[in-house]
Amino acid sequence: MSVSTAASAQTVCAPLPVLGRDVTVPLVTGGEVTYAALDYAASAPALQRVWDDVAAYAPYYGSVHRGAGYLSQLSTDLFENARRTVAGFLDCRPDDQLVFTRSTTDSLNLLARALPADCQVFVFETEHHASLLPWQDERVTYLNAPRTPRQAVETLERALADRDPYGPALVCVTGASNVTGELWPVRELAAAAHAHGARIVLDAAQLAPHHPVSVQDLDVDWIAFSGHKLYAPFGSGVLAGRADWLQAAEPYLAGGGASRKVTRREDGGVAVEWHESAARHEAGSPNVIGAYSIASACKALTEAGFDTLVARERYLIEKVRSGLAEVPEVRILSLFGDDAPRVGVISFVVEGWNSSHFAAALSAEYGIGVRDGLFCAHPLVRTLLGSDPQTQGECGAPEAAPGEKSLNAIRVSFGAGTPDEHVERFVNAVKELVRNGAKWNYRTEDGRCVPAV
């Protein structure tokens, strides 16, 4: 990136205001520093706009649906308007159904419960556990990690060509890897799925906060994502897409709100008529604040303009990647290669360092929050590290003490609220730690590497 381009990116593409941008944290070496939140892939900070919208609504909070009072009716309107806003953000089809859930994990488990009895599922081993684990039975085919986007499409085409062509099938794929940040060829995978009579669900947890996502343009059948990765950390997620399988399935949760009519049967039991709308899978009191916060984030990102947000993020990605490239001991993990398009998620290992030790030093000595571990994508990280896929490991926990060999990696991730200074501090800290070592002693405590007292 040229100096003029960098200056333009800094001038035109200012970070969006987020909560916590002025929080200071103590350093083990003395003093305090403004916290550099570089773990967006786990949970992004709340946009200031989202927080302000939620705070303005909070005094008017009321029960959703069926309430006669003014606050209940206002909250119901807010909830259903949020549904329409998010559907518009995703460019859903007119007859699609949008269900508010708790998270991406909840959304994909809901869809797994709604699959026809004889549905076959195809999923790459590279998926996050949220989209890898819900389909646990003999109908699932796990596909090996591809090393190019074209290979991903060819692998799926071969697997679908070998399946029973007369039964229903579902393909599950991520839009952007939570480990490497690389974008997957979703549109091409959807075309391959549909050509073989299968449907496809897109895990957009890492894609939606960084890029515009159009259900119609990508031609996916369902899409799932989490509010807490979309700058709306209030406990809600989304599953949006075709209504037929959702309407035909038993409710994901049985209870009030999902039922349209409940009567006693002559045999002493109860007979239930379930809603056919999204309410069928939204039993209980809906999280209206969570839904409203997602809608607020969707509006904020749309108004900011994804072209601007994407341009700034590419600028930050180049800052980090070029900085890490100057450190020979650092190896960036990748499936598709250096030139693959990606979002602001970068994982790497450092020669001679246990990843947990390195991440602990970044936090304790520089006030930088990153993630270390296997990132709830164990098969993918082990493939990228070249380790035994059977080796035991906990999601996000270290497997070795400081100085010992690590089977984990370090992940830095950022987004619309990340200022330049945070990534610059991170790159400089990596260089200093590799060159000079840690300034403090560390020990393993309760499965985490922490500064020794």
Side-chain angles (χ1 to χ4, degrees):
M1 177 176 288
S2 67
V3 174
S4 61
T5 304
S8 175
Q10 289 175 303
T11 302
V12 176
C13 310
L16 299 184
V18 295
L19 293 185
R21 57 190 179 275
D22 298 323
V23 168
T24 60
V25 294
L27 303 179
V28 293
T29 52
E32 292 188 342
V33 67
T34 302
Y35 183 64
L38 296 177
D39 194 16
Y40 275 48
S43 281
L47 284 173
Q48 185 68 52
R49 156 77 175 273
V50 171
W51 184 261
D52 291 344
D53 283 351
V54 167
Y57 161 66
Y60 301 93
Y61 173 78
S63 61
V64 174
H65 299 146
R66 298 171 302 282
Y70 176 81
L71 297 190
S72 178
Q73 292 186 39
L74 185 149
S75 295
T76 297
D77 287 345
L78 198 80
F79 185 71
E80 294 304 333
N81 283 333
R83 196 190 307 276
R84 287 186 284 272
T85 296
V86 178
F89 177 78
L90 297 174
D91 190 27
C92 289
R93 295 166 290 256
D95 56 350
D96 280 344
Q97 199 167 85
L98 190 145
V99 180
F100 283 115
T101 65
R102 293 177 297 175
S103 59
T104 308
T105 301
D106 197 35
S107 296
L108 293 171
N109 275 272
L110 188 166
L111 183 60
R113 285 279 299 272
L115 298 184
D118 56 346
C119 185
Q120 301 173 71
V121 178
F122 297 83
V123 57
F124 286 94
E125 67 173 352
T126 47
E127 294 292 304
H128 185 281
H129 293 173
S131 48
L132 184 73
L133 301 182
W135 337 97
Q136 294 189 76
D137 59 35
E138 68 280 357
R139 302 172 298 167
V140 183
T141 298
Y142 296 103
L143 307 175
N144 292 334
R147 302 313 298 228
T148 67
R150 181 66 241 170
Q151 189 180 70
V153 177
E154 292 171 349
T155 298
L156 179 62
E157 287 176 332
R158 285 194 299 271
L160 291 173
D162 291 339
R163 79 177 184 92
D164 179 355
Y166 300 108
L170 178 71
V171 176
C172 180
V173 67
T174 189
S177 171
N178 79 302
V179 177
T180 67
E182 292 164 314
L183 300 181
W184 277 63
V186 177
R187 188 179 294 103
E188 293 80 2
L189 291 167
H194 294 152
H196 290 84
R199 296 187 180 190
I200 185 168
V201 57
L202 171 63
D203 174 355
Q206 299 296 339
L207 183 63
H210 304 273
H211 278 262
V213 178
S214 168
V215 168
Q216 298 190 66
D217 181 53
L218 295 174
D219 197 23
V220 294
D221 298 280
W222 291 278
I223 184 169
F225 71 88
S226 297
H228 71 97
K229 298 187 193 299
L230 194 79
Y231 311 100
F234 291 91
S236 275
V238 168
L239 176 67
R242 303 199 182 277
D244 54 350
W245 286 6
L246 297 176
Q247 290 175 347
E250 288 293 301
Y252 181 49
L253 296 172
S259 57
R260 180 164 53 193
K261 181 180 179 182
V262 180
T263 58
R264 290 294 300 271
R265 297 196 307 258
E266 292 183 359
D267 63 5
V270 294
V272 185
E273 292 182 16
W274 304 107
H275 282 294
E276 293 186 357
S277 65
R280 185 183 189 90
H281 298 290
E282 294 177 342
S285 296
N287 181 359
V288 59
I289 288 180
Y292 181 49
S293 69
I294 292 180
S296 173
C298 290
K299 290 179 180 178
L301 294 175
T302 300
E303 291 169 6
F306 268 107
D307 287 347
T308 298
L309 297 176
V310 169
R312 174 173 172 76
E313 187 167 306
R314 286 175 179 162
Y315 160 70
L316 294 178
I317 291 170
E318 178 58 26
K319 253 185 181 297
V320 174
R321 287 178 61 84
S322 61
L324 294 181
E326 296 174 2
V327 186
E329 293 84 354
V330 169
R331 176 167 71 92
I332 295 177
L333 304 183
S334 175
L335 270 178
F336 300 153
D338 289 342
D339 295 331
R342 65 192 73 231
V343 300
V345 179
I346 299 168
S347 294
F348 62 98
V349 291
V350 183
E351 182 181 346
W353 282 81
N354 167 266
S355 294
S356 178
H357 184 199
F358 201 89
L362 285 173
S363 174
E365 299 177 26
Y366 297 91
I368 299 170
V370 298
R371 175 116 348 187
D372 66 279
L374 299 175
F375 318 126
C376 291
H378 292 191
L380 171 57
V381 178
R382 295 199 182 286
T383 293
L384 296 172
L385 294 178
S387 61
D388 181 355
Q390 305 305 318
T391 304
Q392 296 296 312
E394 294 183 23
C395 190
E399 297 170 344
E404 296 180 359
K405 181 180 178 181
S406 173
L407 294 177
N408 295 338
I410 305 151
R411 184 182 70 191
V412 56
S413 54
F414 40 88
T418 304
D420 292 15
E421 189 275 329
H422 288 186
V423 298
E424 290 165 357
R425 192 197 318 172
F426 164 76
V427 170
N428 291 332
V430 170
K431 293 178 179 179
E432 288 183 10
L433 285 172
V434 172
R435 182 175 61 247
N436 303 324
K439 301 173 185 176
W440 205 262
N441 292 322
Y442 295 81
R443 60 188 175 83
T444 300
E445 179 181 294
D446 296 329
R448 295 299 311 167
C449 190
V450 297
V453 178

